[in-house]
């Protein structure tokens, strides 16, 4: 009986890891769409379609994992560490689902942005690399139970915040010029803001990892 239970917990870890990989893909693809050559319309459309399809996969996987967690809670009635682990997973999939949504939101802005000067988009690629690492590390820390990995996610969030401030400052400087496309600057700022929000979701996941290990969540009463 315990072996079956352990197998179900392992399946939960694998499903979370799969959802994480989809989130990484959708973030990377949504940001890469910003840099597609304006003449390569077919590639751009394929990337947008891929983002939307992956976002739907994330939604479906969220529902599957939620059902898996509820079955474990109802049938196995876990206690202590296992109960915290399953409860944390239920919270984490909500953050992962929102990550997929926000990556999809980025693609809604790419059609116009991808025609702008490349130098105004360089920090966005850097931001995306950091947030992808944050998402990956947060889920890895949950599966491995490594508090150090979870702590590193909080440190990376500071990097993302600094990059966002840099994007914002540069855009303020750019928008002050008379010949600047203000709508373009606003769209670029929105993309940076979506990436910052994704980083916040990864940080939320890391907080739930800490809860699953220690039983303490600094922002929740459980």
């Amino acid at each position: 009986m315990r072996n079956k239970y352990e197998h179900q917990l392992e399946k939960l870890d694998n499903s979370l890891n799969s959802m994480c990989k989809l989130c990484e893909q959708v973030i990377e693809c949504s940001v890469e769409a910003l840099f597609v050559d304006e003449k390569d319309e077919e590639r751009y459309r394929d990337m947008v379609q891929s983002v939307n399809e992956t976002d739907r996969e994330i939604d479906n996987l969220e529902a599957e994992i939620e059902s898996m967690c509820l079955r474990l809670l109802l049938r196995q009635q876990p206690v202590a560490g296992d109960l915290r682990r399953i409860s944390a997973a239920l919270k984490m999939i909500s953050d992962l689902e929102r990550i997929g949504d926000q990556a999809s939101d980025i693609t809604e802005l790419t059609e116009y942005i991808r025609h702008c000067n490349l130098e105004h988009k360089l920090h966005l690629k850097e931001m995306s690399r950091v947030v992808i690492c944050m998402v990956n590390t947060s889920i890895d820390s949950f599966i491995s139970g490594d508090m150090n990995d979870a702590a590193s996610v909080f440190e990376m969030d500071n990097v993302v915040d600094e990059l966002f401030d840099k994007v914002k400052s540069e855009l303020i400087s750019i928008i002050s010029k008379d010949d600047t496309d203000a709508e373009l600057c606003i769209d670029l700022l929105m993309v940076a803001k979506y990436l910052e929000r994704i980083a916040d979701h990864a940080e939320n996941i890391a907080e739930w990892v800490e809860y699953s290990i220690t039983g303490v969540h600094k922002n929740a009463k459980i």
Side-chain angles (χ1 to χ4, degrees):
M1 189 68 178
R2 180 68 191 182
N3 287 342
K4 182 179 179 181
Y5 179 47
E6 292 290 349
H7 176 72
Q8 290 172 329
L9 290 175
E10 183 180 349
K11 185 178 178 182
L12 173 61
D13 286 347
N14 291 337
S15 296
L16 277 168
N17 191 49
S18 296
M19 195 172 180
C20 171
K21 296 305 179 187
L22 289 174
C23 286
E24 292 173 27
Q25 291 172 25
V26 81
I27 297 165
E28 183 176 17
C29 194
S30 64
V31 174
E32 283 295 328
L34 293 168
F35 297 86
V36 175
D37 191 287
E38 58 185 328
K39 297 178 182 177
D40 198 348
E41 195 64 26
E42 183 176 355
R43 179 166 176 258
Y44 171 71
R45 295 299 172 194
D46 286 344
M47 294 184 79
V48 171
Q49 182 178 348
S50 176
V51 168
N52 292 333
E53 289 175 353
T54 305
D55 184 34
R56 286 193 290 271
E57 286 185 64
I58 291 169
D59 291 343
N60 292 337
L61 201 46
E62 180 197 22
E64 290 178 20
I65 295 172
E66 183 178 41
S67 295
M68 193 184 307
C69 289
L70 293 176
R71 286 196 301 271
L72 282 166
L73 291 172
L74 292 172
R75 295 177 183 176
Q76 303 296 340
Q77 297 182 344
V79 295
D82 286 346
L83 176 59
R84 293 197 306 269
R85 187 172 184 80
I86 296 167
S87 300
L90 275 170
K91 297 291 187 179
M92 290 158 61
I93 58 174
S94 177
D95 281 298
L96 290 170
E97 189 273 335
R98 290 297 299 139
I99 288 172
D101 287 346
Q102 283 157 359
S104 182
D105 289 338
I106 289 174
T107 60
E108 294 180 6
L109 300 167
T110 55
E111 177 67 64
Y112 187 53
I113 295 175
R114 71 191 182 101
H115 299 292
C116 81
N117 192 316
L118 183 64
E119 67 178 294
H120 298 159
K121 301 181 287 189
L122 294 180
H123 299 310
L124 299 180
K125 225 169 192 179
E126 190 177 352
M127 284 183 77
S128 72
R129 284 194 291 267
V130 180
V131 298
I132 287 170
C133 186
M134 289 179 69
V135 174
N136 179 270
T137 304
S138 63
I139 295 298
D140 280 352
S141 67
F142 177 76
I143 293 172
S144 66
D146 192 324
M147 285 282 288
N148 291 327
D149 278 351
S152 73
V153 174
F154 304 135
E155 294 172 5
M156 284 187 276
D157 187 58
N158 293 330
V159 175
V160 173
D161 288 342
E162 289 172 5
L163 286 168
F164 176 74
D165 289 340
K166 187 180 292 187
V167 171
K168 185 167 61 174
S169 296
E170 291 181 7
L171 287 173
I172 289 172
S173 176
I174 292 167
I175 206 169
S176 64
K177 300 174 182 177
D178 292 337
D179 60 344
T180 299
D181 186 336
E183 183 179 351
L184 173 62
C185 289
I186 292 170
D187 285 351
L188 284 166
L189 183 61
M190 282 303 301
V191 172
K193 188 63 180 176
Y194 283 132
L195 290 171
E196 186 198 34
R197 288 176 183 171
I198 289 172
D200 289 342
H201 285 297
E203 188 176 30
N204 288 346
I205 292 170
E207 289 173 359
W208 285 111
V209 172
E210 287 192 342
Y211 166 72
S212 71
I213 297 170
T214 66
V216 177
H217 190 292
K218 61 181 181 181
N219 295 323
K221 296 177 180 179
I222 298 180

